[in-house]
Amino acid sequence: MNCHDLWNYRNIRHSGSYQIDVDGDGPLSPIWVSCEMAEDDDPHHVMTVIHHDSEDPVHVRHYESAGSYFRNITYNGATEEHLIALINSSFSCQQYIKWACKGSMFGFWYPDAIDSWWVGRNWTNQYYWGGAETDSGSCGCHPYCYPTTRNSTCNCDSNEKLKWLDDSGLLLDSNRLPVLQLRFGDTGESNEAGEHTLGPVKCRATGHKDIFEGGFKAPCKFVTPGYKDNKYPAPFLRHTWTIEISEGQYMELVFPEYDVVHYGAYNNVSGCRNVVTVQAQKTNTNEIVTLTRQKTPPYYASDGSEITVNITLTTCNQD
């Protein structure tokens, strides 16, 4: 059971604390969770949330050796088994993590001298940070981290001692969650310090909602609903457009505002490996060309044939 079940089967629409049985008829006892019900009546946005005792920022100093500072995370009324049962039965889960730093490095760029990391499921050390791809040895800022002469893959790995920087983002690989412990070092000198923040575990029970945005004749221009004021559209929606290109017409597809920075993290979210898909079918031969995004946005140029183009944008950004 999860908060989505309360929405579906008990018609509960108000956010709040509810008791659920995460493993159904299994041996685990029921636990209290926070349910974030959808404000827009879309059950895809219902979140099951488990809080813990370390969500407020915690200042760290005087711990120089690697991982010498540690913080065990105690979840409210939930054991690791409860958390794993919830995560394994969910469509996707996430956990926000942040390390503010002054002269305190992760050391991901130099594997033999890693200073800080987090510990995930089964008490396994994890050497990557929020917003980055699993096992990448990097943070979400990469490759646009704070400029430095080092080969740094995180803002904090610049070892800047004169001002505060931070690395933060969402951990999205459900197979590595939950965060069970935080480990930090390199805060022993007088001009070194850090501060960690860890959000609750948040899980969604359902996947993508398909939205057909309509058919258009080329040439045309359209935008994703909700993409304005530098905000992403709502998460876990698939927007699809159909474009008819007449014979003798030529059209190029471009994606000027498509986010490429944090694509790697989406690889670990179900159904988000290909965030944008372009499928073009020639009318006379029924030949189908499919383009999926890898490291750069898809780009397609028609050849003058009569073509139907289907464009799907999957919003894999998380709340």
Side-chain angles (χ1 to χ4, degrees):
M1 178 184 288
N2 51 54
C3 294
H4 185 265
D5 293 326
L6 299 181
W7 171 287
N8 263 352
Y9 304 120
R10 299 187 185 178
N11 203 34
I12 294 176
R13 296 293 185 269
H14 297 290
S15 298
S17 295
Y18 297 92
Q19 192 175 48
I20 64 172
D21 191 345
V22 293
D23 68 337
D25 296 330
L28 298 177
S29 59
I31 59 173
W32 287 91
V33 301
S34 295
C35 291
E36 295 181 0
M37 298 304 186
E39 297 179 357
D40 56 0
D41 291 330
D42 187 345
H44 288 76
H45 298 162
V46 174
M47 303 279 275
T48 302
V49 183
I50 299 183
H51 291 278
H52 57 77
D53 64 349
S54 302
E55 294 182 21
D56 293 331
V58 177
H59 199 71
V60 179
R61 289 193 66 183
H62 309 303
Y63 292 88
E64 182 61 23
S65 59
S68 54
Y69 169 89
F70 67 91
R71 178 88 172 194
N72 292 329
I73 310 303
T74 301
Y75 290 86
N76 298 352
T79 64
E80 182 181 357
E81 289 73 21
H82 284 106
L83 289 157
I84 291 175
L86 172 64
I87 292 169
N88 287 350
S89 63
S90 299
F91 169 76
S92 70
C93 294
Q94 64 189 56
Q95 195 162 12
Y96 175 79
I97 192 168
K98 176 181 177 180
W99 177 241
C101 54
K102 189 171 75 168
S104 176
M105 300 192 302
F106 290 106
F108 291 149
W109 58 278
Y110 187 51
D112 292 334
I114 293 177
D115 289 302
S116 303
W117 60 90
W118 60 279
V119 181
R121 182 183 299 204
N122 299 323
W123 292 89
T124 302
N125 293 343
Q126 305 295 330
Y127 302 113
Y128 69 99
W129 208 245
E133 189 171 355
T134 303
D135 295 332
S136 62
S138 65
C139 299
C141 62
H142 184 68
Y144 305 108
C145 302
Y146 186 77
T148 174
T149 56
R150 299 174 181 270
N151 183 26
S152 60
T153 54
C154 298
N155 291 321
C156 291
D157 278 348
S158 65
N159 203 27
E160 174 62 64
K161 297 179 184 291
L162 299 179
K163 64 179 179 180
W164 284 87
L165 302 173
D166 71 75
D167 286 295
S168 62
L170 293 172
L171 300 169
L172 300 176
D173 189 343
S174 295
N175 293 320
R176 304 298 175 92
L177 295 177
V179 177
L180 299 175
Q181 187 185 69
L182 299 172
R183 303 291 298 266
F184 296 102
D186 195 27
T187 63
E189 298 179 9
S190 60
N191 56 354
E192 295 177 339
E195 185 178 86
H196 64 72
T197 306
L198 181 68
V201 171
K202 294 186 174 185
C203 294
R204 283 185 174 84
T206 60
H208 293 87
K209 177 181 178 181
D210 293 314
I211 302 173
F212 180 64
E213 300 293 351
F216 302 87
K217 291 283 187 181
C220 61
K221 177 182 178 181
F222 49 80
V223 296
T224 305
Y227 192 92
K228 57 184 179 180
D229 301 327
N230 295 320
K231 296 180 179 179
Y232 289 112
F236 294 110
L237 303 178
R238 284 198 179 101
H239 300 274
T240 300
W241 297 263
T242 295
I243 304 174
E244 299 289 343
I245 305 176
S246 301
E247 186 174 359
Q249 285 189 325
Y250 296 84
M251 191 179 79
E252 294 180 342
L253 302 180
V254 294
F255 300 84
E257 296 184 274
Y258 187 69
D259 172 31
V260 300
V261 177
H262 296 293
Y263 168 68
Y266 301 149
N267 277 333
N268 302 297
V269 179
S270 177
C272 291
R273 184 169 293 275
N274 295 317
V275 184
V276 172
T277 301
V278 178
Q279 185 183 78
Q281 181 173 5
K282 295 184 179 181
T283 303
N284 56 346
T285 63
N286 291 326
E287 178 186 353
I288 295 178
V289 177
T290 300
L291 301 175
T292 56
R293 179 177 180 273
Q294 299 300 320
K295 295 298 182 182
T296 58
Y299 177 87
Y300 175 77
S302 65
D303 61 2
S305 303
E306 183 179 349
I307 296 174
T308 299
V309 179
N310 295 309
I311 302 176
T312 300
L313 169 63
T314 303
T315 57
C316 293
N317 53 293
Q318 312 249 328
D319 288 341

